[in-house]
Amino acid sequence: MPSFVDGHTLRSLLRPSTNGRRSKTSDGGGGGGIFKMFKLMPMLTSGCKMVALLGRHNSRALLADHATTVTLFGQRRGRVSLAIHEDTRAPPVFLIELPMLTSALHKEIASGVVKLALESDTRSARRRLVEEYVWAVYCNGRKAGYSIRRKEASDDERHVMRLLRGVSMGAGVLPAAPEKEGGAPAAAGPDGELTYVRARVERVVGSKDSEAFYMINPSEGGVGGAGDSAGDGSAPELSIFLVRMK
């Protein structure tokens, strides 16, 4: 079956510009906003202490509204996970461990543009698109493999969600989960430091079988662009496509 990555389904999900152009990045190329923060990640390690403190005050999250957010996280030498939240105070509506290493994602981020495409060949009239289980995963047009959506988060994933409960956007390194409840955070595991990128996204529903998520540029409040020239139709810095094949 042909992939939707180069087909009409993908083009139908591409968000048209509302003002005739995409938002510019502040550096004229490469990628700005959240991705710039991610490139400075070694400098952000100390900021995780603040994230840890925020995670302890679950009754007062920082998000004033129920914005849709996307989180990519994982240990540097382990696999990266994707979580989509309609409300960060609640469990994610979509959670999956992608068939690619976090280090590989870091390399894609360094290019300034990340486009993740997930295809499902299974179909059920009673399931929402985000409730499908088996997904083929593509990153920037290259097939990475297959993954199965998680019904429930693992202990490590719940640890990440707890720390980021009040965070709307950001990137950095998180403290590892404590070895026992109430204990001090453990040192980085054998797979390295636990890194994350979280962004607010604009959700575009093409149909019951297709949805797209575009990162909102925090500096301009619009969908971010990967290029500098106005009107060039550049793709957003981070975009995620979910498609159920017919």
Side-chain angles (χ1 to χ4, degrees), residues 112-129:
V113 176
V114 174
K115 290 186 282 188
L116 291 171
L118 283 73
E119 292 180 355
S120 176
D121 286 333
T122 58
R123 186 179 182 87
S124 172
R126 294 178 295 177
R127 281 203 294 261
R128 297 168 57 201
L129 178 61

Side-chain angles (χ1 to χ4, degrees), residues 70-82:
V70 163
T71 311
L72 292 161
F73 62 94
Q75 292 179 306
R76 288 184 187 270
R77 292 186 292 276
R79 290 193 173 187
V80 62
S81 294
L82 164 67

Side-chain angles (χ1 to χ4, degrees), residues 54-77:
L54 290 171
R56 297 174 189 172
H57 297 280
N58 294 334
S59 61
R60 291 188 61 189
L62 296 184
L63 288 177
D65 57 354
H66 293 179
T68 301
T69 62
V70 163
T71 311
L72 292 161
F73 62 94
Q75 292 179 306
R76 288 184 187 270
R77 292 186 292 276

Side-chain angles (χ1 to χ4, degrees), residues 7-55:
H8 298 290
T9 306
L10 175 60
R11 290 195 292 272
S12 70
L13 285 171
L14 293 178
R15 182 183 183 277
S17 176
T18 56
N19 58 1
R21 64 179 179 87
R22 294 286 188 186
S23 300
K24 296 181 182 179
T25 57
S26 57
D27 66 347
I34 297 297
F35 281 10
K36 282 184 178 178
M37 294 174 62
F38 192 85
K39 292 174 184 178
L40 297 174
M41 192 166 56
M43 301 172 59
L44 296 174
T45 305
S46 60
C48 297
K49 295 179 181 179
M50 182 177 293
V51 175
L53 290 173
L54 290 171

